Amino acid sequence: MKPIFWLILLSLTSLGASFSIRACSYDGQFNNPFTESFPGSLDVAIATQEALEHRHLEAIEELEGQRGLRRASWWLKLMVKQHNNELESVAYIYLVDSHLWSRMTLDSSVDIHSSPTSLNQASVLLLSEATLSALVQNKVDFKKAIELGILKFSS
């Protein structure tokens, strides 16, 4: 085969790989919550399912598209406001079930749908939307969520 074919194939493959890091389910992309898109995310997804089965968490309604993104954004903003002290060292928040990245800003707010450019030495908070919902409703605290494995700090 011609070298140009391999160059095009390699370019498309790398484009697809980089897109999968940035795409969340709210972008209309199907994402399996049990995939390891970031180290530790699979553990959090499994722990969330176990917490739901044992009724440590309440199931939430699945919302897609803009409605889901609006709800997740609202919950993220509430969590940052309510739990600012626990998030001091966090650079990014990653919702493992929707693959939604958000970046903590210098003024202690959150930039929703903001993919990391580099995760070198960046602390990431991993959690599911069910955990996020429970946190903002004060049905679980950070300590209990960490014990259950439904919330994880990674650096």
Side-chain angles (χ1 to χ4, degrees), residues 6-58:
W6 291 111
L7 182 60
I8 291 171
L9 184 61
L10 181 61
S11 298
L12 290 174
T13 304
S14 65
L15 177 65
S18 64
F19 180 72
S20 66
I21 291 172
R22 289 186 216 119
C24 75
S25 62
Y26 301 123
D27 293 327
Q29 303 295 318
F30 171 75
N31 287 311
N32 182 347
F34 295 104
T35 57
E36 183 79 4
S37 56
F38 183 80
S41 60
L42 182 59
D43 297 335
V44 172
I46 291 170
T48 298
Q49 286 303 312
E50 290 174 357
L52 289 166
E53 289 173 12
H54 293 98
R55 300 181 189 238
H56 296 293
L57 284 178
E58 294 178 14

Side-chain angles (χ1 to χ4, degrees), residues 88-129:
E88 285 179 356
S89 65
V90 172
Y92 290 95
I93 300 171
Y94 182 65
L95 296 181
V96 300
D97 40 4
S98 60
H99 297 251
L100 177 66
W101 283 98
S102 298
R103 181 179 55 85
M104 294 295 294
T105 63
L106 294 175
D107 64 350
S108 297
S109 63
V110 64
D111 185 13
I112 309 295
H113 215 267
S114 181
S115 298
T117 54
S118 171
L119 289 172
N120 295 339
Q121 304 298 320
S123 176
V124 177
L125 173 68
L126 298 108
L127 71 162
S128 66
E129 288 189 39

Side-chain angles (χ1 to χ4, degrees), residues 63 141 149:
L63 295 179
D141 60 12

